Amino acid sequence: MVLMITEGFRKPENTKVYWKEFMAQCNDIGIRSLPIVLIISIFLGMVLTIQTAYQLVSPFVPKTIIAGIVRDTTILELSPTLICVVLAGVVGSKIASELGNMRVSEQIDALEVMGINTKTYLVLPKILAAMIMVPALIVLSIAISIWGGYLAGMFSNILSRKEFQDGLRKDFQPYNLFFAMVKSFVFALIISIIPCYKGYYVRGGALEIGRASTTAVVISCILILCADYVLSLVLL
């Protein structure tokens, strides 16, 4: 895997062709994943608000604390980790199956015969696109989740608009956003590198492509959870 990444960071033969491939990967990883990210994020915020209000039954606890819990939980854990696990299934399986199909159908071999560095042309744009688009999706997910929590609070009469806004501003720590961004960059590398490796080096036929795709998703999810624990232990 290290050799694959190292060979991928070579100077491209044609910058324009590589730029088009990079933009195509940004579209596949970012834009096409946008609907599922938006749907999951808004319902995460709504459910989190309702469940937090259900557990805080003490009259001595101010309602503004609900917004604070929704904010911190969304930023620290739910949006970065859960969205990246979903992206590992959506994006990771696509990357692994795409590269695996190209390997089995000998398209990668044909590109190498033409003198093209396939690791730079096929692998590097996917990794770079994931490192840009996944953090962008996480930022959007955080905003949409908090907005979903606000809507649930309004429509369920859990707390007023002013109470929710006061809770969002109270005791806010900008370091939490930095921590979320670090997690998103690390998870983006996992989501892109593991499927690229599994798909690029697959051998066999259609059955092996399916196995490689499934294995890539499983390993990516496990590594995301392990990295989540390590980063929380180190940075918090």
Side-chain angles (χ1 to χ4, degrees), residues 46 49-54 56 62-64 66-67 148-164:
M46 296 172 72
T49 298
I50 295 174
Q51 291 186 354
T52 304
Y54 170 76
L56 295 178
K63 290 185 177 181
T64 55
I66 297 176
Y150 168 76
L151 292 180
M154 297 301 101
F155 291 130
S156 303
N157 294 323
I158 295 175
L159 68 172
S160 65
R161 177 179 180 179
K162 185 178 185 304
E163 288 174 335
F164 194 91

Side-chain angles (χ1 to χ4, degrees), residues 12-22 116-117 120-121:
E13 294 86 0
N14 191 328
T15 306
K16 292 183 179 179
V17 175
Y18 283 75
W19 175 256
K20 291 181 180 179
E21 178 65 18
F22 168 73
I116 298 175
N117 183 2
T120 305
Y121 180 65

